[in-house]
Amino acid sequence: MYELVSNKIDIKLADIDFIRPSIEYAKEIGDYRQEFLDNGDHMDGCGPLRKHENPEEYIEICEQKRNPDTAEVAGGRAEQFLLVRRSDNRLVAMAQYRFGVDPKFCIGYSVRPSERGKGYAKMALQNLLVWLKDKGQVSTSIACEPSNEASKKVILSCGGRLIDTCTYKGIDLMAVSYTHLTLPTKRI
């Protein structure tokens, strides 16, 4: 596992909104999904996006998952976020927090394949950690495959340090823990 040991966040990308999915972004959500499908890539941190060709259905499911009264029917409670670049209204990344799951698997994020290497993954994780802190959460965890160098770098850049390993469905994972003492204090 990793734990957050510092507050070293240095992204200076103020052109991003960290928002919940809405009908206003339906086309962008559809384009985001298609880019992942075209690249044969994972949609980590996107919730059930792969299953929903219609972005409006996906947005409705995200709303149901957000509401504690309807979340169970929708597959479990989760908060979904979009990272949208203001200058061109482009959806560049997504982040998700899942409630009531194994703590190592409560956080997920992804970056649009054509937007990788620009700091958006770090921004997604940073903003999600700040959102959790604002909600009064005192700790959380995240896991990634050891071969996922990009995610390892993001986790480490947000102050993570390996403290455990685990296996899930035959896949070796590194698990990371963040504590309230060192969670980031501001969104970027």
Side-chain angles (χ1 to χ4, degrees), residues 62-79:
C62 289
E63 283 299 314
Q64 290 173 5
K65 287 178 147 311
R66 184 170 173 241
N67 182 337
D69 296 332
T70 58
E72 196 61 38
V73 173
R77 187 152 179 247
E79 288 274 0

Side-chain angles (χ1 to χ4, degrees), residues 69 80 91 103 106 164:
D69 296 332
Q80 185 70 51
L91 173 57
C106 60
D164 195 12

